[in-house]
Amino acid sequence: MYVRSIYATGDPATLDGVAEALRTEGRELLSAQPGYRGMGLFVDREVGKLLVGSWWEDEASRQASFESLGKRRDELISPFARTLAIDNWEAPVARRADDLGPGAGFRLVRMDVEPGDIDLLVQTFRDTSLPKAQQVPGMSGISLLVDRERGRAAVGSLYTDREALAASRGAVAAIRGETTEKARVITRSLEEFEVVLATAVPHA
């Protein structure tokens, strides 16, 4: 699986309108693209942050959709976005959630990793971190994303509600610390978001 993430910051007062446009028209546009496998839409209304993730069967589908939807995507996001970062990822480990909406919580951890250690990170996450994380109450999905060329990784985890997200912090911190030590990664940021939409398209 392959992922494109869009991370935008801007005026919190304009965030809800843009999030709703992405939840409706944005999702419809993505769903019509070949190879589309799902979408996540997450917000921090207090600070003014927007994160969109789209899932694709292969790199070709991801790239084709980027080119096809570029103009309309910019139009939908521009009323909010004052900064914008678009990144491409491989998802070597993904345990997708059932569809989630408002009331659910999302945590994103960004990491630096030496390109030569990415396979070690993938193995450590799959064999050690994932089984423990899946035992955390309220966790509804978790994925490891990697950028092999740039030496970066991210872990996104979904929770059934904001209370479960908050209650998980201690247990997940311990898992994160163990992963960091074993896989030789550096954690660069830790963020939490409200879920607007998180949906996966099952394979035929």
Side-chain angles (χ1 to χ4, degrees), residues 88-101:
N88 291 313
W89 307 90
E90 173 193 347
V93 184
R95 297 296 181 267
R96 303 298 304 278
D98 295 330
D99 288 3
L100 296 172

Side-chain angles (χ1 to χ4, degrees), residues 3 15 44 65 95 104 107 110 112 139 142 146 153 180 191 197:
V3 177
L15 178 53
D44 181 333
S65 71
R95 297 296 181 267
R107 180 179 295 118
R110 302 178 193 268
D112 291 345
M139 181 174 285
I142 187 168
V146 299
T180 296
E191 299 178 89
L197 174 72

Side-chain angles (χ1 to χ4, degrees), residues 75-98:
E75 291 171 348
L76 289 173
I77 294 177
S78 62
F80 165 73
R82 294 298 172 264
T83 71
L84 188 69
I86 300 176
D87 293 298
N88 291 313
W89 307 90
E90 173 193 347
V93 184
R95 297 296 181 267
R96 303 298 304 278
D98 295 330

Side-chain angles (χ1 to χ4, degrees), residues 8 21 23 36 51 61 65 72 77 82-83 90 94 100 102-103 108 112 116 123 133 137 142 156 162 166 169 172 198:
R23 187 188 69 83
Y36 169 76
L51 176 65
S61 298
S65 71
R72 186 56 185 148
I77 294 177
R82 294 298 172 264
T83 71
E90 173 193 347
L100 296 172
L108 178 68
D112 291 345
Q123 180 180 352
I142 187 168
R162 298 283 291 178
R169 289 168 185 155
V172 172

Side-chain angles (χ1 to χ4, degrees), residues 119-191:
D119 286 338
L120 172 63
L121 171 60
V122 172
Q123 180 180 352
T124 301
F125 188 85
R126 180 182 290 122
D127 296 345
T128 302
S129 310
L130 180 64
K132 293 180 179 179
Q134 290 181 305
Q135 298 303 311
V136 175
M139 181 174 285
S140 186
I142 187 168
S143 300
L144 171 66
L145 310 181
V146 299
D147 181 338
R148 294 179 182 273
E149 184 175 334
R150 301 173 69 180
R152 300 185 306 163
V155 174
S157 51
L158 286 156
Y159 295 81
T160 53
D161 53 57
R162 298 283 291 178
E163 290 76 18
L165 175 69
S168 73
R169 289 168 185 155
V172 172
I175 298 169
R176 186 166 56 248
E178 182 182 15
T179 303
T180 296
E181 182 177 355
K182 287 186 175 182
R184 300 192 290 266
V185 301
I186 298 172
T187 296
R188 287 295 183 189
S189 70
L190 171 63
E191 299 178 89

